[in-house]
Structures are given as C-alpha cells and as structure tokens.
Amino acid sequence: MDRKDFLKTMAILPLGAAAMQLNSLKTATDAFGPTERMPVLFLGHGNPMNALADNSFTQGFQQMAKTLPKPRAILCISAHWETKGTFVTAMQKPETIHDFGGFPQALFDVQYPAPGSPELALETQKLITSTAIGLSNEWGLDHGCWTVLKFLYPNAEIPIVEMSIDYTKPASYHYELGKELAALRRKGVLIVGSGNTVHNLQLAAWDKMMLPGYAFEWAHIANEKIKKMILENDHQSLINFDKQGREFQLAVPTPEHYIPMLYTLALREKDEKATVFNDAIVAGSLNMLSIKIDKA
C-alpha cells in the first residue's frame, strides 16, 4: 500500500477500528499479491442442524472442497448478517455466533475457531469505491458462514472475513457491488455466498423434513426456472426476481437468503461456467442448491 492509499484508508476508518495495528495497514496489500484466479461459490446452507450431520448435502460440500485450490483467505457474504450500510469483520479472532434458538445443546457447543483477517478487511474496503465500507468488531462468524465452511475446511485454518448485506438496497445494488470484489479472486481469496435460492420458512412442511424429494409444486417450478437462468447466464432476470411471477414470490418472500447468490453470479467471467450441486428441496419449501463458478 503506497502513502496515498495509506492516508486515504486512515481517513475513512470508523472510530471502532482505531485499535487496529498500523502494521496491518502497511502490509494489507503485500499480504494479497497476485495469484491464479480463484473459483467462486454459493452454498445453500439450509437447516443449522446440517452442521452436525453426515448427509448428501454435507458430503456435497466435502466433495466440492476437493476441487478447490487452497485459498489464502475467505470472504463470506452470509444471509444472516443484515445491516444498514455495508460492513466487513475486521477482528483477528472472530467469534463463532450461534444465532438461532430451539436446537440441541450439541449445536450450540460447536466452535469454528478460524482466524480473521484485518488485512483482507482493509483490502476489501480499498477495492470498493461505490460505497463506504465499514470495519466491524461487533460481529463474527454466523451460522450462515460456519455451518458450511466447517465442511470445506474442517481444521478452521483459513482466515475468514464476513461481509454484511445492506438491507436498505435493491438486488441490483448487490449484484453491482459483487462485481467490485473481482480483484480479490486473483489475490488468493475464495468468495463464498451463503443463503438459499428457495427459502420460505412460513410454508415449510417440517413434518416432511426427512422425506427425500418432497417439494411443493411452486418451489419445484421456481427452482427449475432459477437453475435455467443461472446456467444460461440470464442474470438480469435473476436480479428482477420480484417480477418473475407467483412461484418466485413464494420462493423469495424476503430477499436476504437470495441476495448472496447474486454476489456469486456477479463474479462470473466470460470464460467461466456455473456448475450446480446439492440441488434438492427439503421440507417442501427450502432448496439446498449450491453453485460453483470456475473456468469452463
């Protein structure tokens, strides 16, 4: 980081980040030198109890991990961190957040002690120019993040930064913001969106949770349309999800679980393809569909 960038970064740091060591600022760019282009992932995280399970979904995450180059760090956009404005976690040791209730104690006992990366937080802040990015020491790794990454990197050795979703902004904003992250892919950073493409908890048939293949008709229709748009690179229709009819309205009653997918798709380059995996609907109205973006 040159002197100009250093002073610019110092000028926009929020007060909550004042305790960050100056040597982290000095070495932020050096820590993320050029690499081969990393893939991008969207992971359908579903039920938090998957974190304790050995099932087709967790096995799908494990198999996908075998195809990935080892990242220097991970930037995760999780459905479970919504804020006014956009923030990234900037602490050295993020907390494992158990942001749910009503589950067995065994799930609350799970810890995922991955380190943070103040350097990646600063690098992300520097890259994004369309809006101010705040540095947060108030969050950590929520279940949208750790319940899936624990299957990709069970040793919790890869530094992780979470990026929040600004709930005041439309889908198009998030898609365009995702594009600004592109340079991180060539700095050894694995970018992961975590949510669900079909996510309607109010209509879920919880008594059918263990019944394979059980899906409401509208969920099946929405899923097939979403997959077709993904594979055909029809991102504009996916951005305009609220204009795609009744099935989409039921599949995406609120946008927070859908938006992380848009960050992933925004990073697809011309010579890349999207591959879907873990494509299965559970409890009638929750889809575990996951996506990998990589060279064709």
Side-chain angles (χ1 to χ4, degrees), residues 6 10 13 18-28 122:
F6 176 86
M10 287 295 290
L13 279 176
M20 183 171 289
Q21 295 180 355
L22 291 179
N23 64 353
S24 292
L25 287 165
K26 182 178 179 181
T27 62
L122 289 167

mmCIF file of all heavy atoms in Angstrom, residues 6 10 13 18-28 122:
data_model
loop_
_atom_site.group_PDB
_atom_site.id
_atom_site.type_symbol
_atom_site.label_atom_id
_atom_site.label_comp_id
_atom_site.label_asym_id
_atom_site.label_seq_id
_atom_site.Cartn_x
_atom_site.Cartn_y
_atom_site.Cartn_z
ATOM 1 N N PHE A 6 -2.520 4.658 1.909
ATOM 2 C CA PHE A 6 -2.461 4.555 3.371
ATOM 3 C C PHE A 6 -3.246 5.696 4.020
ATOM 4 O O PHE A 6 -4.073 5.494 4.907
ATOM 5 C CB PHE A 6 -1.003 4.577 3.818
ATOM 6 C CG PHE A 6 -0.814 4.562 5.314
ATOM 7 C CD1 PHE A 6 -0.793 3.368 6.009
ATOM 8 C CD2 PHE A 6 -0.668 5.741 6.023
ATOM 9 C CE1 PHE A 6 -0.627 3.349 7.385
ATOM 10 C CE2 PHE A 6 -0.499 5.734 7.392
ATOM 11 C CZ PHE A 6 -0.479 4.532 8.064
ATOM 12 N N MET A 10 -6.717 5.570 6.228
ATOM 13 C CA MET A 10 -6.773 6.119 7.572
ATOM 14 C C MET A 10 -7.915 7.128 7.706
ATOM 15 O O MET A 10 -8.588 7.195 8.738
ATOM 16 C CB MET A 10 -5.451 6.807 7.916
ATOM 17 C CG MET A 10 -4.311 5.826 8.184
ATOM 18 S SD MET A 10 -4.598 4.807 9.655
ATOM 19 C CE MET A 10 -4.414 6.032 10.935
ATOM 20 N N LEU A 13 -11.417 5.229 8.023
ATOM 21 C CA LEU A 13 -11.619 4.229 9.057
ATOM 22 C C LEU A 13 -12.600 4.741 10.110
ATOM 23 O O LEU A 13 -12.455 5.856 10.608
ATOM 24 C CB LEU A 13 -10.292 3.909 9.759
ATOM 25 C CG LEU A 13 -9.348 2.937 9.058
ATOM 26 C CD1 LEU A 13 -8.057 2.830 9.852
ATOM 27 C CD2 LEU A 13 -9.971 1.570 8.896
ATOM 28 N N ALA A 18 -10.191 1.988 15.429
ATOM 29 C CA ALA A 18 -8.994 2.758 15.779
ATOM 30 C C ALA A 18 -7.912 1.908 16.416
ATOM 31 O O ALA A 18 -6.731 2.238 16.320
ATOM 32 C CB ALA A 18 -9.382 3.899 16.712
ATOM 33 N N ALA A 19 -8.317 0.818 17.047
ATOM 34 C CA ALA A 19 -7.337 -0.015 17.737
ATOM 35 C C ALA A 19 -6.571 -0.938 16.804
ATOM 36 O O ALA A 19 -5.660 -1.640 17.223
ATOM 37 C CB ALA A 19 -8.038 -0.855 18.811
ATOM 38 N N MET A 20 -6.951 -0.958 15.524
ATOM 39 C CA MET A 20 -6.260 -1.848 14.582
ATOM 40 C C MET A 20 -4.796 -1.423 14.460
ATOM 41 O O MET A 20 -4.480 -0.248 14.330
ATOM 42 C CB MET A 20 -6.947 -1.790 13.217
ATOM 43 C CG MET A 20 -6.321 -2.747 12.206
ATOM 44 S SD MET A 20 -7.338 -2.826 10.714
ATOM 45 C CE MET A 20 -8.736 -3.718 11.353
ATOM 46 N N GLN A 21 -3.903 -2.360 14.470
ATOM 47 C CA GLN A 21 -2.485 -2.053 14.451
ATOM 48 C C GLN A 21 -2.082 -1.430 13.115
ATOM 49 O O GLN A 21 -2.528 -1.841 12.051
ATOM 50 C CB GLN A 21 -1.675 -3.337 14.672
ATOM 51 C CG GLN A 21 -1.895 -3.952 16.043
ATOM 52 C CD GLN A 21 -1.096 -5.219 16.228
ATOM 53 O OE1 GLN A 21 -0.447 -5.685 15.301
ATOM 54 N NE2 GLN A 21 -1.143 -5.773 17.412
ATOM 55 N N LEU A 22 -1.176 -0.452 13.175
ATOM 56 C CA LEU A 22 -0.748 0.228 11.960
ATOM 57 C C LEU A 22 0.009 -0.698 11.017
ATOM 58 O O LEU A 22 -0.020 -0.524 9.805
ATOM 59 C CB LEU A 22 0.135 1.424 12.336
ATOM 60 C CG LEU A 22 -0.583 2.583 13.019
ATOM 61 C CD1 LEU A 22 0.412 3.692 13.359
ATOM 62 C CD2 LEU A 22 -1.702 3.125 12.148
ATOM 63 N N ASN A 23 0.683 -1.691 11.566
ATOM 64 C CA ASN A 23 1.403 -2.591 10.665
ATOM 65 C C ASN A 23 0.455 -3.420 9.817
ATOM 66 O O ASN A 23 0.814 -3.887 8.742
ATOM 67 C CB ASN A 23 2.386 -3.484 11.420
ATOM 68 C CG ASN A 23 1.700 -4.420 12.390
ATOM 69 O OD1 ASN A 23 0.492 -4.330 12.598
ATOM 70 N ND2 ASN A 23 2.468 -5.313 13.000
ATOM 71 N N SER A 24 -0.806 -3.611 10.263
ATOM 72 C CA SER A 24 -1.790 -4.282 9.425
ATOM 73 C C SER A 24 -2.120 -3.437 8.207
ATOM 74 O O SER A 24 -2.284 -3.943 7.105
ATOM 75 C CB SER A 24 -3.081 -4.555 10.223
ATOM 76 O OG SER A 24 -2.849 -5.514 11.227
ATOM 77 N N LEU A 25 -2.203 -2.108 8.407
ATOM 78 C CA LEU A 25 -2.435 -1.205 7.289
ATOM 79 C C LEU A 25 -1.269 -1.259 6.302
ATOM 80 O O LEU A 25 -1.470 -1.298 5.095
ATOM 81 C CB LEU A 25 -2.608 0.222 7.808
ATOM 82 C CG LEU A 25 -3.917 0.542 8.511
ATOM 83 C CD1 LEU A 25 -3.794 1.844 9.282
ATOM 84 C CD2 LEU A 25 -5.042 0.627 7.508
ATOM 85 N N LYS A 26 -0.082 -1.286 6.810
ATOM 86 C CA LYS A 26 1.096 -1.249 5.961
ATOM 87 C C LYS A 26 1.230 -2.497 5.122
ATOM 88 O O LYS A 26 1.687 -2.456 3.979
ATOM 89 C CB LYS A 26 2.349 -1.067 6.831
ATOM 90 C CG LYS A 26 3.637 -0.966 6.030
ATOM 91 C CD LYS A 26 4.826 -0.750 6.959
ATOM 92 C CE LYS A 26 6.127 -0.662 6.163
ATOM 93 N NZ LYS A 26 7.291 -0.483 7.034
ATOM 94 N N THR A 27 0.811 -3.645 5.653
ATOM 95 C CA THR A 27 1.036 -4.914 4.960
ATOM 96 C C THR A 27 -0.201 -5.450 4.269
ATOM 97 O O THR A 27 -0.168 -6.542 3.712
ATOM 98 C CB THR A 27 1.543 -5.982 5.949
ATOM 99 O OG1 THR A 27 0.529 -6.200 6.944
ATOM 100 C CG2 THR A 27 2.839 -5.557 6.601
ATOM 101 N N ALA A 28 -1.303 -4.684 4.262
ATOM 102 C CA ALA A 28 -2.555 -5.195 3.704
ATOM 103 C C ALA A 28 -2.389 -5.633 2.260
ATOM 104 O O ALA A 28 -2.811 -6.728 1.870
ATOM 105 C CB ALA A 28 -3.647 -4.130 3.815
ATOM 106 N N LEU A 122 -9.282 -4.688 5.092
ATOM 107 C CA LEU A 122 -8.793 -3.434 4.524
ATOM 108 C C LEU A 122 -8.693 -3.508 3.005
ATOM 109 O O LEU A 122 -8.987 -2.536 2.301
ATOM 110 C CB LEU A 122 -7.432 -3.094 5.131
ATOM 111 C CG LEU A 122 -7.460 -2.655 6.592
ATOM 112 C CD1 LEU A 122 -6.064 -2.655 7.182
ATOM 113 C CD2 LEU A 122 -8.099 -1.284 6.724
#
